[in-house]
Amino acid sequence: MSKEQALLKSYNLNGLELPNRVVMAPMTRSRADNPENAPIEGLHDVYYTQRASAGLIITEGSQVSKEAVGYVNTAGIYSKEQVQGWKMVNKKVHEANGRMFIQLWHVGRMSHPDFHNGDLPLSASAINPESQSYTYEGFKDTVTPKEMSIEDIKRTVQDFKNAAKNAMEADFDGIEIHSSNGYLFHQFFNGTSNKRNDEYGGSIENRAKILFETIDAIKEVMPENKIGLRLNPSLHGIFGMTMDEETIPTFDYIIKKLNDYDLAYLHLSEPFNDVSEVPYAVTEIAKRYRPMYDGTLMINAGFDQESGNKVIEEGNADLVAFGKPYISNPDLVERFAENIPLSDWDTDTFYVPGAKGYIDYESKARKQEA
């Protein structure tokens, strides 16, 4: 396998040796269709093991509590059954010489009462994101959530701490805090979704407080250098997020403050859509934050082999995360090495139960090597 490409060079991730810089991005796949919402043997283990040649796998978002769920059939990390399921997956992935972090997830207001026995989902403030939630009966309009009390916030921080402890019991190599894409932490960060007037609202520092309290809590149960987190600074018009003049200054503050921690990595997303006409947006996220962040920087959103190599070569990122290409190309690393064309993915099977469109994509590169 050629090691000349920047993507294929090894990388030391705070003590965890990665054979390459190709990361499998976290992607919701909705395969945990059982009463426990636990990973399923013969599905989840096969799916991730097929992709074990990635430098690092980041799992699908895994809810930290029943309150945190907002999508059908997602595998959680708060119960014994779920921990055992993920432990089974990790055993197979590690046997295949893979490395895996779990993404810890709370969707906040991007949920629906159908998931909560009729109760309202939680958020920073009682503001409807005017979006949709994918329920067991299909897409439904979101509702106005319940503004979280201080007790709700403290409990949620503990939920993330407990989930991180469970992740260590399940033998994950680390965790990623999903503080991105319009979900709970992001709802606290943005002034358009956080209208609180207490210690978790108002100033930039207050709106970021829940994130740093969560990191500090998680540090109590696992090594700091096994903690990663994901941010999406220029998200606008998607997942209920609307930017304002304080959005980018808020992310500047968060990312500079993260330098006080010895984290595994910072995972950033380039804009998901065209934000060139949005006055508050930054169109080139890696270029803005590489000089601002001292640790390992991972970037994602729309990269291919050429642009992935380029962003590393130019020094704007250390690792590149690939999403949809990993759905249909379990041997993505080998395809990059051999310059084999990528297979197309089937959008109709992204979120349906079962093996189809999940573990039945062909590994052409490995077939050739055999």
Side-chain angles (χ1 to χ4, degrees):
M1 184 184 296
S2 169
K3 293 290 184 182
E4 294 177 6
Q5 296 180 50
L7 283 168
L8 300 184
K9 292 181 179 177
S10 62
Y11 187 79
N12 187 301
L13 185 66
N14 239 338
L16 181 64
E17 290 293 334
L18 311 185
N20 58 71
R21 299 170 187 234
V22 179
V23 177
M24 179 179 169
M27 291 175 286
T28 301
R29 301 303 311 276
S30 297
R31 257 54 183 201
D33 59 327
N34 56 74
E36 293 79 26
N37 288 134
I40 299 171
E41 188 166 8
L43 274 181
H44 290 79
D45 56 326
V46 175
Y47 174 69
Y48 286 112
T49 302
Q50 286 175 340
R51 292 151 180 82
S53 62
L56 178 68
I57 293 171
I58 308 172
T59 73
E60 61 212 84
S62 186
Q63 60 266 19
V64 299
S65 68
K66 289 184 178 180
E67 289 182 333
V69 71
Y71 291 78
V72 299
N73 298 329
T74 52
I77 185 64
Y78 56 85
S79 73
K80 289 182 179 180
E81 293 82 4
Q82 292 162 353
V83 171
Q84 288 304 308
W86 282 120
K87 191 167 188 174
M88 174 271 300
V89 174
N90 276 309
K91 183 176 186 294
K92 304 286 184 61
V93 169
H94 289 145
E95 286 173 351
N97 298 316
R99 296 137 299 276
M100 195 151 75
F101 277 39
I102 185 171
Q103 188 185 63
L104 304 184
W105 195 25
H106 193 308
V107 307
R109 67 183 186 174
M110 294 300 294
S111 186
H112 192 275
D114 285 5
F115 291 112
H116 309 290
N117 296 316
D119 292 337
L120 296 175
L122 303 176
S123 188
S125 294
I127 301 172
N128 191 332
E130 303 296 343
S131 187
Q132 288 192 313
S133 174
Y134 186 51
T135 75
Y136 288 97
E137 297 176 1
F139 283 102
K140 290 189 177 183
D141 292 339
T142 54
V143 301
T144 300
K146 172 183 181 281
E147 180 174 306
M148 295 175 76
S149 65
I150 298 297
E151 181 183 350
D152 291 333
I153 292 172
K154 300 298 184 186
R155 182 179 66 253
T156 298
V157 170
Q158 287 302 306
D159 287 340
F160 273 87
K161 179 180 179 179
N162 292 336
K165 183 179 179 182
N166 286 343
M168 293 299 94
E169 287 186 25
D171 297 328
F172 279 100
D173 296 295
I175 64 101
E176 176 179 287
I177 303 169
H178 197 352
S179 38
S180 183
N181 294 6
Y183 297 124
L184 183 67
F185 291 104
H186 205 161
Q187 293 158 29
F188 272 86
F189 300 158
N190 273 25
T192 57
S193 51
N194 182 349
K195 301 295 185 182
R196 305 176 70 94
N197 55 16
D198 62 5
E199 62 189 287
Y200 293 96
S203 70
I204 286 174
E205 293 80 4
N206 283 0
R207 283 187 272 116
K209 185 177 180 180
I210 186 174
L211 174 65
F212 292 102
E213 287 186 343
T214 300
I215 296 172
D216 290 339
I218 290 175
K219 281 168 50 182
E220 296 176 5
V221 295
M222 64 180 292
E224 189 173 315
N225 65 2
K226 293 181 179 291
I227 303 170
L229 65 90
R230 186 177 184 184
L231 298 171
N232 192 340
S234 282
L235 187 71
H236 179 82
I238 306 175
F239 295 117
M241 280 291 109
T242 303
M243 299 182 71
D244 64 14
E245 67 274 8
E246 282 198 331
T247 300
I248 293 300
T250 299
F251 283 101
D252 289 353
Y253 165 78
I254 291 170
I255 289 169
K256 288 175 182 175
K257 188 173 174 64
L258 289 173
N259 286 321
D260 296 338
Y261 295 83
D262 183 29
L263 299 181
Y265 60 78
L266 171 62
H267 183 179
L268 297 177
S269 296
E270 296 289 354
F272 283 179
N273 55 344
D274 183 5
V275 295
S276 59
E277 301 299 318
V278 180
Y280 311 119
V282 170
T283 57
E284 295 183 301
I285 295 297
K287 287 184 178 179
R288 179 180 183 86
Y289 291 111
R290 173 71 286 178
M292 206 176 291
Y293 184 63
D294 298 335
T296 294
L297 184 65
M298 182 190 302
I299 193 70
N300 82 11
F303 284 89
D304 58 18
Q305 182 178 0
E306 181 180 359
S307 59
N309 278 311
K310 184 178 179 183
V311 73
I312 295 174
E313 290 164 357
E314 293 180 344
N316 291 317
D318 303 299
L319 305 169
V320 181
F322 296 86
K324 291 176 184 175
Y326 252 120
I327 289 178
S328 51
N329 300 276
D331 54 342
L332 188 65
V333 170
E334 293 88 344
R335 292 193 191 219
F336 284 171
E338 305 298 333
N339 291 307
I340 295 173
L342 302 189
S343 298
D344 294 330
W345 50 81
D346 176 13
T347 56
D348 291 340
T349 57
F350 277 3
Y351 310 114
V352 297
K356 184 174 174 54
Y358 191 59
I359 59 174
D360 58 353
Y361 286 105
E362 188 178 8
S363 297
K364 291 183 178 178
R366 292 175 196 156
K367 191 174 182 181
Q368 287 186 6
E369 289 174 0

